[in-house]
Amino acid sequence: MSMYILVVDDEPDVEFLFRQQFRRDLRAGRFQMEFVPSAVAALQRAVEVREPPLILILSDINMPGMSGLEMLPKLRAERPDVPVIMITAYSDAETRRKAIERGAVGLLTKPIDFVLLREEIDTRLGQAA
């Protein structure tokens, strides 16, 4: 059974980077990744996706329109079953506190540590299996 990860980021190069880092997993069908460019699109997809199971949402914080931090409570209300990890270029204590208070399970700093992210994905895949 394949699992589903939603990545929310307004920068187009993020999709290329993620697909490059996880190309073997994606090719093997270990999980699927979908990329959306905004918080509004993420909220819509999070509600729509039921199969394959949505196991993780990775979201940038700074995006035009609705920020990732503004999206978090809405996302948690719609899909409390799906963990959300925020991604930011600014790893200050205040940003981390706000992200956790609003429902994120973690915060990754850009440039992303893909070894750490892979471990997180492996954990979520194991929990969902």
Side-chain angles (χ1 to χ4, degrees):
M1 166 168 47
S2 185
M3 306 292 172
Y4 189 85
I5 297 169
L6 183 63
V7 181
V8 188
D9 201 306
D10 61 309
E11 295 180 29
D13 60 331
V14 168
E15 180 174 354
F16 175 78
L17 182 62
F18 273 68
R19 289 198 184 283
Q20 189 72 10
Q21 288 292 324
F22 296 106
R23 67 186 173 280
R24 288 187 184 101
D25 298 292
L26 295 169
R27 230 179 305 166
R30 193 162 174 247
F31 54 84
Q32 298 173 34
M33 280 187 159
E34 181 179 350
F35 298 83
V36 295
S38 70
V40 172
L43 288 168
Q44 180 179 345
R45 288 301 295 150
V47 171
E48 293 171 351
V49 174
R50 295 296 173 192
E51 288 299 323
L54 179 58
I55 62 162
L56 182 62
I57 297 171
L58 303 167
S59 178
D60 191 18
I61 289 179
N62 294 319
M63 295 181 286
M66 184 187 309
S67 76
L69 289 176
E70 293 168 325
M71 173 190 70
L72 254 175
K74 296 174 181 177
L75 197 53
R76 301 304 302 146
E78 291 292 335
R79 293 299 303 265
D81 57 314
V82 181
V84 180
I85 296 175
M86 302 307 293
I87 300 170
T88 183
Y90 312 103
S91 178
D92 59 275
E94 182 66 14
T95 301
R96 182 174 298 280
R97 183 188 63 74
K98 284 180 182 176
I100 300 303
E101 279 179 359
R102 295 178 187 193
V105 298
L107 186 84
L108 293 175
T109 305
K110 291 178 180 178
I112 295 170
D113 179 344
F114 281 100
V115 171
L116 185 63
L117 181 54
R118 181 174 296 282
E119 290 172 4
E120 186 68 42
I121 289 172
D122 288 345
T123 298
R124 302 297 167 195
L125 288 170
Q127 290 173 346

